[in-house]
Amino acid sequence: MADPVNSSSYGQPEKLIHNLKPSSVIGLATSCLKGWETWQYVVTIFLGLVVYDQVMYIYRKGSIAGPSFKIPFMGPFLQALDPKFDGYLAQWASGPLSCVSVFHKFVVLASDRDLAHKVFKSPQYTEPCIVPIAKDLLSHKAWVFLTGKVHVEFRRGLAPLFTSKALSTYLPVQEKVLGEYFDRFVAISEANNGKPTAFMTSFREIQCALSLRTFFGDYISEDAVKRIADDFYKVTAAMELVNVPFSMYIPFTKQWIGKKVADEVHEEFARAAGACKKNMATGAAPICTIDHWVLNMLESNRYRERIAAGEEGVEKPANLIREFTNMEISETLFTFLFASQDASSSATTWMFQILAQRPDVLDKVREENLAARGGDRTKPFDLEMIESLTYTNAVVKELLRWRPPVIFVPYLALKDFPVTPDYTVPKGSMIIPSCYPALHDPAVYPNPEYFDPDRWITGDAETKTKNWLVFGAGPHDCLARRYVPMSFAGMIGKASLELDWTHHATPRSEEIKVFATLFPMDGAQLVFKKRK
C-alpha cells in the first residue's frame, strides 16, 4: 500500500505540512496512541505538564538569579510554610533581582535599593498585593488597593489623622494603656516566681491595645479589645503566599479562621464608627483617630451645606473630604491595624530585648527622659517632650534600622514591567521590593549588625534618606512614618522610668523567626520588676 504521505513530499517540510489535513493528523495520532493503557495517558500528560511548568519558569527567569530548575509545580512551597531568615539573606545576596516560582506563581525579589525604589514608585506597572488572599481579608475595596486619583483623594482624606494636633490627642490614651500593661508585665513575672517568660505574645497584646485605643478610644469595649488582641494574629497566619484553592471556604483551615476573625473585626469597627458619628455630632472634642476623621467629615459637610445655601465668604476647611460610610471607616482602620500589628509587635519585642542587653543605652534613655520631666518620673509625656528626646529618638531609629519591622512589600505586576534594561518582569508576576538590604548596607551604615544609636547623632546616618526604607516609598508609603517613632519613644521613655527588666539569653535568642516580620526565636525571655 502506498504511503499516506506523497513520497515526493519527503524532505520538503513545507509541502509535507501543507498536505497534512486535520483528519490525517488525528488519524496519525490515533494510530500512535492506539493500544495505550490509561496509566500511559496519565504519565504522558503529567510529564507534559512538568515540562511546561519547567519551560515557563526558565523563560520567565531569563538572566536573573534563581534556581536553574524548580521542583515540579510546587517549587519551594514547603520552605514557604516555615521560612528561614537565612534563606532570605541568601536570596538577597544572590543578585539585585532573583526569583522563585511556587505553584506556577512567579515571584521576583528586588534586593537592590534603587530597584526597590523603582518598584515602590511605579504605580503604572504595579499595585500592592500582599498575598492573593489579602483582598478577601482586608476587603476588595480597601484603600490600600486603590490606585491613581482615587487613591490620592482617599489618602488625602486620611492626612489630618497624623498632624501634630491629632498626634497630641493620642498620647494621653497611650499613656494610660502603657501603664496598665506595664503592671501586667510585672504581674506575669511575679506569677512565674521571677523566672524568665517569653513576652512576645504580651507585646503583641500591648500593641494591639495601643492601636485599638488610639484608633477608637472607648468606642470599643475592653472585652472586644482583649478578644481582638487574642485573635488578630490569625489574620496574619492566613496570609500565606500560597494556599490550597478555596481554602477560605474549608472549615478550620487557617484561611477560613482568618476570614472569620477578619469579618468579626470589620463588624466591630463599623459599630464603633457609627457610635463615633453620633458622639461627634454633639460637639464632643476629638480624643482618638476616628474622632478626628469624623470631625473632618462634619466640618466638610457643614461647609458644603453653607455653600449650597448661597452663603458667601465661608471659610473652606483645610482638608475638604467626602462622607465615608461606617464600613469604609472600618475597612480603612482595619488596614491600619493589619499594617501595624505585626510590625509594632516585632519592634516592641526587639526593643525590650536589646535595651536589656545594652544597659549603657538604657541608662542614657532613663537619664534623658527624667531630665525632660524635670526630675518627676510620673509626669505624663506630651508631643513636645517626645520630640525633644534626641537620644531616645535615635534609639528608636536605630531599632527600626537594625531590626526593620517590614522586610519587604509584595506588589503585583499589572503589565510587563521593564524593571531594568535587561530584564522585564512578566505581567501577573509578584515583584517584591526588599527593605532589609538597604538598611544593612555596610557602605551606608558601617558595621550594620551593631546596634549603635549614636550613628544618628554623631554619625551621618540621618543624611542617608534613600536607604531609609523602613516606611517604604512612593504613593503607597506608610502614612504613620511620624506616628510610629513618636509612639515608640513614648513607650520606652515611660518604661525606662517605671520598670526594670532583664533578658535571660538562650541559644535561640539571636536567631530570627519569620512570621510576617522578624521576632527572636525564643520569644524574648524577660523578667520585669517595678522600678523603685
Side-chain angles (χ1 to χ4, degrees):
M1 180 180 289
D3 191 277
V5 178
N6 192 311
S7 59
S8 64
S9 300
Y10 189 79
Q12 302 178 49
E14 296 85 357
K15 191 169 183 180
L16 175 63
I17 292 171
H18 177 74
N19 289 338
L20 281 175
K21 295 184 173 62
S23 58
S24 301
V25 174
I26 294 172
L28 186 62
T30 302
S31 63
C32 290
L33 299 177
K34 189 174 181 180
W36 275 28
E37 300 290 339
T38 300
W39 70 266
Q40 292 176 299
Y41 286 107
V42 172
V43 170
T44 300
I45 293 170
F46 175 77
L47 292 177
L49 291 174
V50 169
V51 171
Y52 173 76
D53 184 55
Q54 199 69 245
V55 168
M56 288 303 298
Y57 166 71
I58 294 171
Y59 172 74
R60 291 167 176 162
K61 175 181 179 294
S63 61
I64 66 175
S68 298
F69 299 94
K70 60 171 289 192
I71 298 173
F73 307 122
M74 71 176 184
F77 173 65
L78 296 179
Q79 295 95 308
L81 292 177
D82 184 23
K84 306 299 182 187
F85 187 64
D86 286 347
Y88 286 121
L89 291 176
Q91 182 102 27
W92 291 326
S94 67
L97 290 174
S98 59
C99 67
V100 295
S101 181
V102 184
F103 285 122
H104 210 56
K105 186 67 176 179
F106 191 66
V107 182
V108 177
L109 280 83
S111 58
D112 176 81
R113 179 199 68 182
D114 294 334
L115 291 179
H117 272 279
K118 185 169 185 177
V119 177
F120 281 130
K121 298 175 181 179
S122 298
Q124 70 274 32
Y125 287 106
T126 64
E127 68 175 14
C129 67
I130 310 178
V131 294
I133 198 175
K135 289 187 177 181
D136 293 305
L137 300 181
L138 302 182
S139 168
H140 286 258
K141 297 180 289 184
W143 74 286
V144 292
F145 301 121
L146 301 176
T147 57
K149 184 178 179 181
V150 179
H151 174 261
V152 171
E153 290 180 348
F154 203 114
R155 187 182 174 98
R156 182 170 56 83
L158 301 175
L161 310 183
F162 299 96
T163 61
S164 294
K165 181 180 178 181
L167 293 176
S168 294
T169 61
Y170 305 155
L171 295 178
V173 176
Q174 294 190 358
E175 179 109 35
K176 181 181 177 183
V177 172
L178 289 171
E180 292 171 353
Y181 272 85
F182 288 170
D183 288 342
R184 293 187 194 183
F185 294 171
V186 173
I188 289 171
S189 292
E190 289 177 347
N192 201 29
N193 298 315
K195 296 177 182 178
T197 303
F199 266 87
M200 188 176 77
T201 300
S202 296
F203 293 148
R204 289 186 63 86
E205 289 181 15
I206 189 176
Q207 281 299 334
C208 192
L210 279 169
S211 294
L212 291 174
R213 289 298 179 216
T214 300
F215 298 162
F216 292 103
D218 291 328
Y219 297 120
I220 290 184
S221 69
E222 189 64 35
D223 287 344
V225 169
K226 181 68 168 64
R227 186 175 68 253
I228 295 171
D230 287 344
D231 293 343
F232 199 81
Y233 79 94
K234 295 172 184 175
V235 176
T236 301
M239 295 274 195
E240 293 178 321
L241 177 62
V242 179
N243 49 65
V244 177
F246 306 109
S247 56
M248 189 174 67
Y249 305 103
I250 302 173
F252 307 111
T253 61
K254 283 191 286 187
Q255 288 68 39
W256 181 85
I257 293 170
K259 182 67 166 67
K260 186 172 182 291
V261 170
D263 288 346
E264 290 171 354
V265 176
H266 277 303
E267 291 176 7
E268 185 69 43
F269 286 4
R271 283 195 294 271
C276 175
K277 286 181 176 179
K278 291 180 181 178
N279 182 51
M280 296 308 293
T282 67
I287 61 171
C288 60
T289 303
I290 195 173
D291 282 347
H292 284 278
W293 196 4
V294 169
L295 180 61
N296 203 185
M297 292 180 212
L298 294 173
E299 291 171 346
S300 297
N301 289 343
R302 282 194 291 268
Y303 169 78
R304 282 188 285 265
E305 289 168 0
R306 292 175 68 183
I307 292 297
E311 288 190 44
E312 297 180 0
V314 181
E315 184 178 355
K316 185 177 180 180
N319 194 43
L320 186 66
I321 63 173
R322 67 175 175 84
E323 177 82 21
F324 291 86
T325 68
N326 293 347
M327 188 50 69
E328 283 179 317
I329 294 172
S330 169
E331 291 168 353
T332 301
L333 293 180
F334 187 96
T335 64
F336 282 10
L337 182 60
F338 175 76
S340 66
Q341 180 59 47
D342 294 297
S344 60
S345 300
S346 167
T348 303
T349 304
W350 290 111
M351 178 69 78
F352 278 101
Q353 178 165 309
I354 191 65
L355 288 179
Q357 295 171 337
R358 292 286 303 275
D360 58 319
V361 174
L362 181 53
D363 285 345
K364 290 181 181 179
V365 170
R366 281 192 175 122
E367 181 181 346
E368 183 177 59
N369 276 268
L370 188 60
R373 290 165 172 79
D376 179 6
R377 68 179 188 178
T378 65
K379 182 178 179 180
F381 51 67
D382 56 37
L383 187 59
E384 184 179 1
M385 179 194 295
I386 289 175
E387 291 181 337
S388 73
L389 300 171
T390 302
Y391 188 78
T392 304
N393 281 293
V395 169
V396 172
K397 291 203 78 169
E398 179 65 354
L399 176 85
L400 297 176
R401 183 207 66 80
W402 179 67
R403 289 289 183 265
V406 176
I407 57 176
F408 48 62
V409 183
Y411 279 74
L412 177 70
L414 301 173
K415 55 185 176 181
D416 288 350
F417 180 13
V419 70
T420 72
D422 302 317
Y423 185 75
T424 296
V425 178
K427 176 183 177 181
S429 304
M430 290 180 71
I431 178 164
I432 304 179
S434 303
C435 307
Y436 189 95
L439 293 161
H440 283 255
D441 184 347
V444 178
Y445 305 109
N447 197 7
E449 297 306 319
Y450 180 66
F451 185 86
D452 180 18
D454 286 322
R455 74 172 81 238
W456 300 96
I457 302 172
T458 58
D460 64 353
E462 199 68 58
T463 67
K464 309 301 184 181
T465 54
K466 201 162 186 181
N467 280 67
W468 186 245
L469 287 175
V470 171
F471 299 103
H476 287 274
D477 70 337
C478 181
L479 275 168
R481 59 173 59 246
R482 188 177 173 207
Y483 166 84
V484 169
M486 175 205 76
S487 180
F488 275 101
M491 179 179 68
I492 65 169
K494 183 177 176 67
S496 72
L497 298 175
E498 297 184 6
L499 298 172
D500 282 318
W501 65 96
T502 54
H503 176 244
H504 293 253
T506 74
R508 311 200 78 185
S509 293
E510 301 306 319
E511 289 185 37
I512 294 177
K513 173 182 176 63
V514 181
F515 180 76
T517 181
L518 310 179
F519 293 93
M521 193 68 77
D522 66 359
Q525 299 288 326
L526 298 164
V527 176
F528 284 90
K529 295 179 181 179
K530 270 291 183 183
R531 187 168 176 80
K532 297 178 181 179

